[in-house]
Amino acid sequence: MTKQSQSDSWWFRCSKGVFSFDALFSILPLVMMLSFVMSLSSSIIDHESSYTNRQEVFDKLVSIADYTVKTGLAIHEGELRYPNWLDEENPPVSYVEDLRLRSALSRLSITISDPPSENYLFCIYRLVVIGKEKTITKIYVCGD
């Protein structure tokens, strides 16, 4: 074995370790960046999912409120319907429960004049006329 080949083999043995450390220090930042990007994308997806859910609940409550004041609880006289004119009574529990089930909401409250005492994700109201005296008040539709 020549002196040149002995020095080459020594360099090759030492360079294996150097290349290993070099690879480690090159890969470590890549792994950290990949972990950061995955964490960030997970956070964005969770935020968008929450926003989408909130928007769906709000849209359902708007639809329920509009349906209630225009058709559901509106006074009917034969074929004639009076939108935004309701009876004096609060809506029946069966009516509210039916709307809750059809809209797939976890909770739903429809009250006339006073907002519900419970906390809901959203609470919207519509102006209505109540009874024969045609008193102007609000109907609250709340849910989550």
Side-chain angles (χ1 to χ4, degrees):
M1 196 183 238
T2 66
K3 190 156 182 121
Q4 177 66 26
S5 66
Q6 285 178 347
S7 66
D8 285 345
S9 71
W10 174 82
W11 172 249
F12 183 70
R13 281 183 277 146
C14 290
S15 67
K16 283 183 182 177
V18 171
F19 290 137
S20 297
F21 280 119
D22 186 42
L24 175 68
F25 290 128
S26 298
I27 292 174
L28 188 60
L30 292 174
V31 169
M32 290 175 64
M33 286 189 292
L34 181 64
S35 143
F36 173 73
V37 167
M38 290 177 66
S39 173
L40 184 63
S41 68
S42 173
S43 174
I44 290 171
I45 288 170
D46 289 344
H47 175 73
E48 289 301 316
S49 173
S50 172
Y51 176 78
T52 302
N53 182 44
R54 292 173 55 88
Q55 187 64 46
E56 284 179 7
V57 170
F58 179 77
D59 292 345
K60 287 177 183 181
L61 291 176
V62 168
S63 295
I64 289 170
D66 289 344
Y67 171 77
T68 298
V69 299
K70 293 180 180 170
T71 304
L73 297 179
I75 293 178
H76 293 81
E77 291 179 355
E79 300 233 352
L80 193 57
R81 179 179 49 206
Y82 299 98
N84 293 47
W85 185 12
L86 310 179
D87 287 332
E88 295 181 38
E89 305 168 10
N90 274 327
V93 175
S94 61
Y95 174 80
V96 176
E97 184 63 17
D98 179 52
L99 285 177
R100 185 190 71 78
L101 291 173
R102 287 177 23 201
S103 62
L105 292 171
S106 60
R107 296 187 307 159
L108 177 65
S109 171
I110 301 176
T111 58
I112 296 175
S113 299
D114 297 321
S117 57
E118 297 178 51
N119 288 333
Y120 289 93
L121 182 61
F122 289 107
C123 213
I124 62 173
Y125 69 87
R126 296 285 187 257
L127 292 176
V128 294
V129 176
I130 301 292
K132 301 278 185 212
E133 305 83 32
K134 298 182 181 174
T135 308
I136 298 174
T137 189
K138 296 177 184 176
I139 183 169
Y140 293 90
V141 178
C142 305
D144 43 45

